[in-house]
Amino acid sequence: MDATLVGQGLLSGFLFGGVYSLMAVGLTLIFGVMRVVNFAHGDMMVWGMYMAWLLSVRAGIDPYVGFLVCAAGLFVLGFVIQRGLVERIVDAPHEMQILLMLGVALVLENAALVAFGPDPARVRSPVAQGTIWLGPIFVDVARLLTFALAMVLTAALWLFLTRTDLGRSMRAAADNPYGARVIGTDVRTVYAAAFGVGAACVGAAGALVSPILPFQPTSGLGLSVTSFNIVIIGGMGSLPGAFVAGILVSVAESMGAVFLSPSMKELVSFGLLIAILLFRPAGLFGKTAA
Amino acid sequence: MKLLALLAVAVLVGLPWVVGSYLVTVMIFIFFYAYLGQAWNIVGGYAGQLSAGHAAFVGIGGYAAALLSARAGLSPWLGMWIGGALAAALGAVIGYLGFRFGLRGFYFVLLTVAFAEICRVVALNVDAVGGALGLYITFTGDPRQFQFQDNRVYYYIALVLMLAATALVWAIERHRFGAYLTAIRQDESACEALGVDTLRVKMLAMILSSFLTGIGGTFYAFYLFSLQPNAVFGIPLSVEIVIRPIVGGAGTVMGPLLGSFILSPLAEISRTYFAQGGWTGLHLIVYGVLLIAVVLFLPQGAYPALRRLVPRRPA
Amino acid sequence: MTNRTSRGTDRRTFLKVTGAAAGASALVGFPAVLRAQAPAFKIGVVHPVTGPLAEPGQACRLGAQMAADAINAAGGIKALNGAKLELIFGDTQTKPDVGRTEAERVVTQGAQMLMGSFDSGSTAAMVPVAQQRRVPFLVDIAAADPITANVAKSVRDGQQKVQYVYRNFPTGSSFGRKAVQYFGEVFKEAGVSPKRVVLMYCNDLFGQNNAKGFQAAHAAAKPSWEIVDVIPWPEPPQDLSTEVSRAKAAKPDVIAPITRPASAQLLLPEIRKQRLDIMGIVGPGSPGLYEAGQLAVLKEDLEYVMASTPWANFKNPRTQKVAEDYLKRSGGKTFDTNSGYSYDGMMLIADILERARSTDADTIVESIKKTNYGSGLMQYAGPIVFDEIGDNPNAVTTMIQVLGQKAVAVWPKDAAVQKFVFPRPKR
């Protein structure tokens, strides 16, 4: 086995892990605070990508700047979904929540199909074209940038949850909703804000990833499945978990592509998932009270 | 109530002789998905163990029967039982791993999805089972090969499957086994405290459910004449299986049937009337909105809501 | 609303009677305006217009519609008294069970022939409907060999009386043979002898089918170049950097990719970024390497890329005219394989009907078997004919290349619009 190939695989996998982490962070936040499994996660991300595409094509705004707009847009969408839909079934059986978000996913995916057509799109960013060579191994600038941004975003979110009032209310409402109500927290608004923030992360992730990943309206499902894998492995509700797991899964897949057949690299991440589910279902960083 | 049921069955039996072949095909899929939903209902509805990977059992059942027919010349009438048994074996593995390790709720869901995806990726990559090309069954119209020239025979087979599965679930509900399942769904720890071997009960439900689903896989293979890994192991099929009992009422006898009778025509109608010109995709938006509406306004499912509307008559 | 009967005999008898009445009145010399207008001939056109294959599916539907419009504008099917073609559309959503239901639906709504359906899974599910309901089915696009081969076999073995399924598109095996042939011819013409070819492909039905065909054809032809590594990726992929690194490690002279539009958008820039030192990128045949949408996104990364793909014959002025119309009606899309084969399929159906002079299914099948149609807009190796399996052996691929940001035919010589460039210039 070529040492350069293995080295390159490790590095590429590591950097691409930043992309995975970004995808997973919003999902884990929503689950961590509200115990809602957002099956529309991938489709929301696709909308973030299309928003970035619109900004790039119609207004010439680079996605590495425009992602803030996408985050804001998705925040509104998330807030509305929570307030308008999810809130009403908070006491309903678990299955209903899944079905609701599936319905939302269907609507989002096909609205994108009607709005943008079925062709794959990609956002061209001049920033994202460069490569840095370290001997025989190269570093993709776009992925490096995304990795850095993933770290920054995760850190920012962490600070938000631990240092701001709203963030602390979210965590309180997550741990003990009755208690939070008792001390006067407007739990409904907190939940809606949490969903909104989670959606904003997803929107930002979509925008930041759009120069790297080609996307179509039907890309949502694959992104959802990947994100769920990562979040479970890292631990539902854990931000550092999402970050680390994203890198772990990406490196594992990359090694799978190097040593096995690349078309089977998904087996590696599913194998990891099953192992985690069996031996440490709370995930690598999760709290054990599942 | 019983009279109503008999009347409904009589209507269904006579239907293919008065309506055209297209409607017969629509009904076949209504029955078939109701059958799969009913099989799922045993472990997903009654036992409350949400599985979103039941497509794996359809796929295994279908592939087994198709391969045995193509390579060993074994009639699918026999192959279906082997397919069902293999599906049950996988169900036992998933069930054991899930239940023994205490996976509940969303974690169990993801375990089932992971296994279905693994099956899909393996089927996609192993040439011996057709790879991405899948398996194609030659159309002969030979009844010994589970093929029929007349669409109506498939109709009756699907109807029998649906009714048999429903009868089974009805019987389970009245048996102690059914009581255990419901109790486990509502409070598993309490059941254990009372001395019920919850692992054994759940395993039994899972094996039964996957066995029946595997048999459905054979019908699928020999009705559509082709098996493709993405279609038959994929998440969209699992979603179709799960949606009907949930909308109709998970954990009720009539739930999967009601769900199928609501959703399949809805999908047909929205596809026929909304999928025009530049608006392709509009019909799926309508489908999604309908799903959301059902969830918001009928969260227990359609069947319990209907029961509340009909005042109980004295026996 | 009268229930248009689904029992074929009644409908055919009705049409025969109407046709006879129209013919009789024509003999009597009624003025043209009073002659009974023949009822429209209905064709079920089923493609995946939503779902992952929505893009080619919508192209197919538009191609079919344009052809039908052209035929109707020219007076319909003259042998059936000017009967207009009426299309009943269906959407398979890329799902086999939906494909089958849609086929049933259009047949019940009166379709007398079927055309479709691009993806082999749905097409295979529609085959039993065609055989059961005795509706001739022209497959405009779908490469899996068993679609026609299985039906032919059951007719040979006596289990079915008539084969109703015919295909006017290259099969998976012919894709491979042509690609290997073109590779050798292009290398020879260019005066170079690359030795190491790396095959990379998307691991879906189309990719696997083509990859196998390519490898089989290579083993049979034993040319001077070797396939040194075979690298499949899951479709659609999220990241191809490791796959390209692996290709690079195999020290290739030529990369042979089989892609889909999404994966091509990842693969080609990656090949550039990792600075693969190769003579060229020559695809054995796949979408994603030539469409207008792809060119808009990939720009210079597509320059000099070659692909062996079914292609329109742009030397034919009729093709150019249709391509212009298509550009307008589709809002800027290129007239390509998908729209082209559906267009030709519809024109072929018109020709079949003209020669059949009847709407009876078995008569139509006889007419299909005798087809010898030379007015296709696509690149063929001869007139459209059907062999014993029901395929068109003259449906072939053409080697195209992106030159000056335009995809043009470059090989074989008689199809070439421009001279090819190989090896590609060094960056």
Side-chain angles (χ1 to χ4, degrees), chain A:
Chain A
M1 233 331 121
D2 194 334
T4 316
L5 179 59
V6 174
Q8 183 70 66
L10 277 171
L11 183 60
S12 296
F14 189 83
L15 288 181
F16 195 73
V19 173
Y20 274 0
S21 304
L22 260 183
M23 282 166 43
V25 155
L27 184 65
T28 209
L29 178 68
I30 291 177
F31 184 82
V33 173
M34 305 170 45
R35 296 283 177 277
V36 168
V37 178
N38 182 10
F39 275 88
H41 172 82
D43 293 288
M44 288 166 70
M45 191 166 156
V46 168
W47 268 93
M49 289 159 141
Y50 271 112
M51 282 181 70
W53 177 83
L54 277 172
L55 286 171
S56 165
V57 162
R58 297 289 157 85
I61 298 178
D62 191 284
Y64 291 104
V65 166
F67 76 93
L68 293 163
V69 176
C70 302
L74 265 280
F75 176 86
V76 171
L77 180 68
F79 196 93
V80 163
I81 289 179
Q82 162 61 17
R83 254 319 238 273
L85 301 174
V86 181
E87 186 178 271
R88 293 180 197 227
I89 52 142
V90 121
D91 294 321
H94 220 46
E95 308 92 63
M96 284 304 165
Q97 190 201 93
I98 294 176
L99 209 60
L100 179 74
M101 295 316 291
L102 269 175
V104 172
L106 257 179
V107 171
L108 285 177
E109 175 175 318
N110 288 284
L113 184 62
V114 171
F116 302 109
D119 309 347
R122 188 132 167 249
V123 181
R124 280 193 90 102
S125 162
V127 175
Q129 295 304 314
T131 46
I132 302 171
W133 285 87
L134 313 164
I137 299 192
F138 84 107
V139 170
D140 186 81
V141 168
R143 292 200 188 109
L144 184 64
L145 199 52
T146 314
F147 186 88
L149 285 164
M151 282 204 299
V152 167
L153 195 68
T154 312
L157 211 54
W158 178 261
L159 287 172
F160 170 75
L161 285 176
T162 48
R163 298 289 154 87
T164 66
D165 283 342
L166 183 57
R168 277 196 284 246
S169 313
M170 280 186 197
R171 285 164 59 222
D175 285 338
N176 194 340
Y178 293 117
R181 276 198 197 97
V182 159
I183 60 163
T185 313
D186 180 358
V187 173
R188 287 174 65 209
T189 309
V190 167
Y191 275 176
F195 208 101
V197 170
C201 289
V202 173
L208 291 170
V209 153
S210 60
I212 298 178
L213 241 52
F215 51 94
Q216 306 167 273
T218 46
S219 306
L221 181 64
L223 293 169
S224 289
V225 172
T226 311
S227 305
F228 282 131
N229 265 12
I230 295 168
V231 161
I232 293 271
I233 292 173
M236 283 290 229
S238 162
L239 285 184
F243 188 77
V244 171
I247 297 176
L248 183 65
V249 168
S250 178
V251 170
E253 282 189 349
S254 190
M255 290 297 100
V258 168
F259 291 106
L260 306 170
S261 170
S263 62
M264 300 222 253
K265 62 185 180 188
E266 293 161 314
L267 284 182
V268 173
S269 38
F270 282 116
L272 257 178
L273 175 73
I274 292 181
I276 289 278
L277 281 176
L278 297 182
F279 300 114
R280 206 188 148 80
L284 296 172
F285 285 73
K287 313 173 191 89
T288 32

Side-chain angles (χ1 to χ4, degrees), chain C residues 89-306:
Chain C
F89 289 119
D91 173 17
T92 70
Q93 293 179 3
T94 322
K95 293 183 187 157
D97 52 335
V98 176
R100 197 218 154 88
T101 316
E102 286 290 270
E104 285 277 7
R105 176 176 67 81
V106 300
V107 171
T108 302
Q109 287 177 346
Q112 294 150 281
M113 276 187 80
L114 282 172
M115 191 169 90
S117 72
F118 188 85
D119 92 281
S120 296
S122 307
T123 311
M126 287 166 64
V127 164
V129 177
Q131 292 293 124
Q132 278 169 344
R133 306 284 296 274
R134 300 176 58 225
V135 176
F137 179 13
L138 179 69
V139 176
D140 54 357
I141 300 180
D145 296 65
I147 290 171
T148 41
N150 277 4
V151 183
K153 183 166 182 296
S154 68
V155 169
R156 267 202 314 272
D157 294 346
Q159 286 151 335
Q160 287 280 291
K161 284 214 211 66
V162 179
Q163 175 166 353
Y164 289 99
V165 183
Y166 295 86
R167 170 195 359 227
N168 179 39
F169 191 73
T171 58
S173 33
S174 65
F175 263 93
R177 270 181 282 115
K178 275 296 174 205
V180 169
Q181 180 194 333
Y182 289 154
F183 268 55
E185 290 172 357
V186 164
F187 295 161
K188 184 150 170 262
E189 180 80 4
V192 290
S193 29
K195 290 273 178 289
R196 304 172 67 86
V197 172
V198 168
L199 173 66
M200 304 181 74
Y201 67 95
C202 57
N203 197 31
D204 62 2
L205 190 150
F206 179 79
Q208 253 195 31
N209 195 22
N210 269 24
K212 284 204 193 99
F214 185 69
Q215 290 176 284
H218 176 266
K222 298 200 203 337
S224 60
W225 47 273
E226 284 306 306
I227 300 178
V228 294
D229 200 1
V230 178
I231 305 175
W233 64 76
E235 184 70 27
Q238 283 158 349
D239 171 44
L240 289 176
S241 51
T242 309
E243 282 84 347
V244 173
S245 299
R246 222 175 113 147
K248 188 173 179 186
K251 300 194 190 2
D253 296 317
V254 169
I255 299 271
I258 303 178
T259 61
R260 287 282 191 197
S263 43
Q265 288 191 12
L266 269 180
L267 184 67
L268 295 175
E270 199 62 41
I271 291 179
R272 167 178 44 85
K273 281 187 191 171
Q274 296 200 28
R275 301 208 188 142
L276 263 67
D277 185 14
I278 47 178
M279 286 192 197
I281 300 173
V282 188
S286 64
L289 300 176
Y290 50 82
E291 297 88 340
Q294 297 291 100
L295 280 164
V297 172
L298 287 170
K299 301 201 175 74
E300 317 80 44
D301 286 329
L302 264 181
E303 195 71 17
Y304 302 115
V305 170
M306 298 170 87

Side-chain angles (χ1 to χ4, degrees), chain B residues 65-116:
Chain B
L67 283 168
L68 285 168
S69 166
R71 310 280 162 86
L74 187 68
S75 165
W77 290 105
L78 295 172
M80 77 166 88
W81 303 104
I82 300 181
L86 285 172
L90 179 66
V93 168
I94 297 176
Y96 187 74
L97 287 176
F99 305 144
R100 186 77 183 75
F101 285 81
L103 293 178
R104 311 260 171 99
F106 178 63
Y107 293 91
F108 184 70
V109 172
L110 218 59
L111 182 73
T112 57
V113 170
F115 267 96

